[in-house]
Each structure stands twice: as C-alpha cells, then as structure tokens.
Amino acid sequence: MDYFNYKDNRLFAEDVDINTLAGKYGTPLYVYSKRTLVEHFRKIKDAFEGLDTLICYSIKANSNLAVLSAMREEGAGFDIVSGGELYRSLNAGADPAKIVYAGVGKTKEEIRYALKTGILMFNVESAEELKTINNVAKSMKKKADVALRINPDVDAHTHDYITTGKKENKFGIDIVLARTLFNSARKYMHINLIGVDMHIGSQITTVGPYLEAIKKVAAFIQELRADGAAIEYFNIGGGMGIIYNEEKPTTADSFAGAVKPLIAGLRLKIILEPGRFIVGNAGILVTKVIYNKKGRNKNFLIVDAGMNDLIRPSLYGAYHKIIPVNVVKAKVELYDIVGPICESSDFLGKDRHLPRLDEGDLLAVRSAGAYGFAMSSNYNSRPRAAEVMVSGSKYSLVRERETWSDLILKEKKTK
Ligand code: PLP
C-alpha cells in the first residue's frame, strides 16, 4: 500500500505529478510520500497497542532529516548504529531518551558521545564492547544503561547478506556466552543491565523465525530474572519484509498477533526497530533514459541512475519494479535497465517488458525508500541524487543534488 499512483496516465506521488518534480529538480531524483511513511509507522504502532511499546525507527534505512522529523512527530524513537546517526537524529529533534544504539564496532569516541547525550541504552554486541562501555562510563563518572544483543542462531530465510541472527554472523552474543557475560556484567560498576535485544535479519516475510528466536530469548530473560536481574526491556528488533514484487509478507497485524502471546506475559517494555517496513514503499527513484541502445542480444535502456544511486540490485540481486512515469501506447519491448557506471553489475532491472522508451523518457524505480539513498555513493565521481518529500499537494526539496564541486570539496592536491 502506497501513494504512488497513476492519474490520467501520469504517475503521481500523492497529489503531485512526478513530471513536475523531475522538471523542477532534475533526475535521478528520490521522491518520498510522507503519507505512506506515516501510515506504515502507524500500522506497527496500532498493531502493538495494549503493550508498553517503543518503536525505534531504524535510521540506517533512510536517514534524511525530513524522514526522521516525520517519525519524531509520530512519537517514534530511533535505532542508531553510529555517532553520525546519533548526530543526525539529534538534529532532527529526537528525544535522546528514545534512542537505542546497536552495532558491532562502537568506538570509544562514539560511546562517549552517546553517554553525554543520555541515550536510552546501548545494545551491546560483545564482551569486549561491554568492557569498553564500562571503562568509558567510569571515566565520565556515569552509569551506562545496556541491553545484551543475543544471537539466537535462527535462520530468517532471507538473503545471506541481510541475515544477522545465525551463529556464523558477526552480530550479537551467543546465548550460552551471554549467560556468562551477564554474570561478569554484574561486576561492572558502571553498567546497568536493563534489557535484552535481538535482531535476526532484514526483509523477513514470515513470522516463524521471529517466534523461534523470541521463544529462545524469552527463556533466557526468565533465567536472568530467576537470577535476580532487573530486566525492563525486550527489544525484538526490526526486519519485517515488504512487497517488492510478488512477496506476501506478514502484515503488521498478523505479525503482532503471533508475537504478542509470547511477549505479553513477560511484563516488559517492548522495543521494535523497523526500518524497511516503514520507509521502503514510501520512496521511488525517478530516472531518465539517456539512450535506448540496441545490443546484439539485448535491448538496453541506459538511464541516468546507476548503482551508485541504488545499489540493491547490484549488491543483493534485489528486485525493484520499474514503471514508466507516463503511460504511452507503444510496442512492448524487452529491456535491461542499466546505469552509466563502468561495471557490468550496474543494473536496476533485467529482462523487463516496457513500452518502447526513448531519450528523455522517465522511469520510476519503485520501493526505493529504504537502503536506497542511504547506501548511495559517489562512485565514478557521480554527484548524489536530490531528494524530495511530498505531502498531499505540497512538496519540498529535502536534500539538494550534489554538484561536481561537492565531489572535490574535501580533497587537496599534493604540491
Ligand atoms: N535493527 C538492527 C540492529 C539492524 O541491523 C537493522 C538492519 O539491518 C534494523 C534494525 C532494521 O532492519 P529493517 O530495515 O529490515 O527493519
């Protein structure tokens, strides 16, 4: 469900014609629909009603300040994984008491920044990190609130690169080791162990892996409690999948319906860290055809967005629907839609049927709101795209297109 629809054969974001935005801001252009964003947040929030729940939007999916402030207005907290994400969330007006901080490689400097800010808690991913947090907190004469991130060793049945809860993954702490760590954590004078956390992967379309993991982690929480631990929070992570093509992901209601019976009796505050579910279908990437190139075996639509703008197809073989911005009656042809970058892996979609398109025609890559702009780069010295947020019939440029001079701004020639 989203608000990118055709009206009179022209694609609109809510009430704004995509042709208008492309004309005004150029391409490649990310366009977000605030209504789609907010409604997805509310779907999760409403589904968990009745439980004491904090939804921490996972900034890594899309960290534009306009997205963050829309989430803040809805009462969301934030899930961060770096000092930079903390800086961004504070700039968007986030309440530090609603920020949780995960990530396997937090540096001392980042830990200090988070302690100074007064975040809700760190999701600790190793014994070594716990020790470092204790030392940094000690040097600041503070106590750090932490949750242990458990690696429950379950298969989330998603792409290998976005699986995070199997024992061979670098994330979280093995449940047996966590037990030992819990005992040593008690000796740390500058650590308050207040929570237990898990996050098993991304683009998970069934609830089964969550139930398996939650059962394991809930049993662990009960053991800790029996040992006298004052656990207040259970963070069940993010990862809920969306429709890119033909997937039939669990809805927020059925997800919550299945999960609630396992967590309600724990009488804990529940944290969720959704990213993709909220923002994935709230964004499109608009791109323009540069050439319609006839190859020997293939027709290529060479467009002005490349893997530096949207890396998901190249990185994970991810599928994004690609549709024309203007519906025309023309002969349907088979195309590979590729970018201008000098890599054979630079494609947005392969073997797509589209009406014949030519130089200057616009295409929209759907479901590009999550891990789209956030993963973009300047590869091939390409300035990054602009971003626009639409709300009803209003729109605003929420990130300017980079320029060629931006590309060399931080660089110096040797003498
Ligand atoms: N929480 C953590 C710790 C993550 O690593 C991620 C993404 O990998 C998320 C939340 C958000 O995942 P998603 O965007 O799939 O909801």
Side-chain angles (χ1 to χ4, degrees):
M1 183 62 197
D2 61 54
Y3 294 95
F4 296 98
N5 293 304
Y6 286 109
K7 290 180 199 171
D8 296 329
N9 292 329
R10 296 162 81 87
L11 186 66
F12 275 64
E14 304 191 15
D15 301 324
V16 178
D17 189 336
I18 297 299
N19 291 282
T20 308
L21 297 177
K24 191 157 181 183
Y25 301 115
T27 54
L29 179 71
Y30 275 96
V31 179
Y32 307 124
S33 150
K34 188 171 178 186
R35 187 163 170 202
T36 312
L37 188 72
V38 165
E39 284 191 9
H40 279 85
F41 175 80
R42 289 184 187 164
K43 276 184 196 185
I44 305 185
K45 193 172 167 218
D46 296 347
F48 277 88
E49 204 165 76
L51 285 183
D52 189 354
T53 312
L54 174 64
I55 298 164
C56 291
Y57 166 67
S58 194
I59 291 185
K60 64 175 78 65
N62 185 324
S63 54
N64 186 288
L65 292 181
V67 172
L68 303 189
S69 60
M71 289 292 97
R72 177 186 47 76
E73 282 165 18
E74 286 295 306
F78 294 106
D79 157 48
I80 61 164
V81 289
S82 69
E85 287 193 346
L86 177 53
Y87 181 79
R88 275 187 177 277
S89 53
L90 296 176
N91 264 279
D95 175 359
K98 288 184 178 176
I99 295 176
V100 295
Y101 187 173
V104 293
K106 303 176 191 82
T107 64
K108 289 189 185 105
E109 192 188 11
E110 289 174 316
I111 293 166
R112 211 169 289 122
Y113 179 30
L115 280 171
K116 202 166 130 216
T117 304
I119 63 163
L120 179 57
M121 74 186 83
F122 294 92
N123 292 330
V124 172
E125 308 236 11
S126 65
E128 294 76 8
E129 181 192 328
L130 189 68
K131 191 173 168 198
T132 301
I133 294 177
N134 182 63
N135 289 342
V136 175
K138 185 177 175 190
S139 72
M140 296 172 74
K141 300 189 175 55
K142 283 188 178 256
K143 263 197 153 187
D145 290 328
V146 308
L148 296 184
R149 175 168 175 184
I150 305 300
N151 181 329
D153 191 24
V154 298
D155 189 348
H157 302 294
T158 185
H159 193 285
D160 269 357
Y161 289 6
I162 48 176
T163 288
T164 57
K166 282 163 87 175
K167 63 177 182 302
E168 55 270 34
N169 300 136
K170 68 179 176 181
F171 301 99
I173 304 160
D174 173 86
I175 211 154
V176 178
L177 291 179
R179 189 94 193 71
T180 327
L181 188 58
F182 168 68
N183 289 325
S184 50
R186 289 175 143 179
K187 295 182 203 118
Y188 288 130
M189 301 306 291
H190 296 269
I191 295 286
N192 268 333
L193 187 66
I194 59 165
V196 175
D197 166 46
M198 58 174 243
H199 170 76
I200 56 173
S202 195
Q203 185 54 11
I204 305 169
T205 52
T206 56
V207 75
Y210 285 98
L211 301 183
E212 195 188 331
I214 287 171
K215 279 182 201 155
K216 285 190 184 181
V217 178
F220 175 69
I221 292 175
Q222 297 292 34
E223 271 182 50
L224 295 187
R225 280 177 151 172
D227 252 11
I231 303 296
E232 286 174 57
Y233 293 91
F234 184 8
N235 182 338
I236 62 171
M240 284 116 81
I242 63 165
I243 301 174
Y244 283 99
N245 187 21
E246 312 226 292
E247 303 88 342
K248 292 196 172 54
T250 317
T251 62
D253 278 337
S254 52
F255 176 80
V259 160
K260 271 180 175 176
L262 300 184
I263 55 178
L266 294 170
R267 284 168 285 105
L268 289 170
K269 291 176 199 153
I270 303 299
I271 298 177
L272 287 109
E273 298 174 349
R276 190 190 308 270
F277 182 87
I278 293 174
V279 78
N281 279 316
I284 60 170
L285 172 61
V286 184
T287 182
K288 197 187 313 185
V289 176
I290 305 175
Y291 298 113
N292 180 334
K293 172 177 171 177
K294 260 217 164 349
R296 188 155 167 179
N297 299 323
K298 289 225 161 197
N299 296 319
F300 297 101
L301 283 179
I302 301 175
V303 297
D304 64 2
M307 64 190 287
N308 73 301
D309 299 299
L310 179 66
I311 201 175
R312 298 188 69 258
S314 316
L315 189 61
Y316 318 124
Y319 184 95
H320 286 262
K321 281 188 182 156
I322 302 177
I323 57 173
V325 167
N326 298 299
V327 180
V328 286
K329 282 209 176 71
K331 190 171 161 244
V332 171
E333 293 180 350
L334 189 64
Y335 292 110
D336 278 7
I337 295 121
V338 301
I341 287 191
C342 301
E343 300 280 344
S344 295
S345 60
D346 178 29
F347 67 93
L348 298 174
K350 286 192 171 166
D351 294 325
R352 303 298 178 87
H353 286 102
L354 285 166
R356 184 181 167 91
L357 292 163
D358 282 300
E359 185 188 337
D361 288 335
L362 296 173
L363 286 167
V365 184
R366 291 180 59 92
S367 314
Y371 307 103
F373 186 90
M375 290 178 102
S376 66
S377 74
N378 292 121
Y379 186 44
N380 274 199
S381 286
R382 288 167 48 82
R384 279 184 293 173
E387 295 173 285
V388 170
M389 177 74 85
V390 172
S391 179
S393 57
K394 297 201 174 78
Y395 54 87
S396 48
L397 183 65
V398 294
R399 192 179 207 273
E400 280 176 33
R401 181 176 306 286
E402 289 179 358
T403 61
W404 287 333
S405 62
D406 289 333
L407 293 174
I408 54 167
L409 204 62
K410 299 276 185 191
E411 294 178 28
K412 283 190 180 62
K413 292 180 228 169
T414 50
K415 284 191 188 131

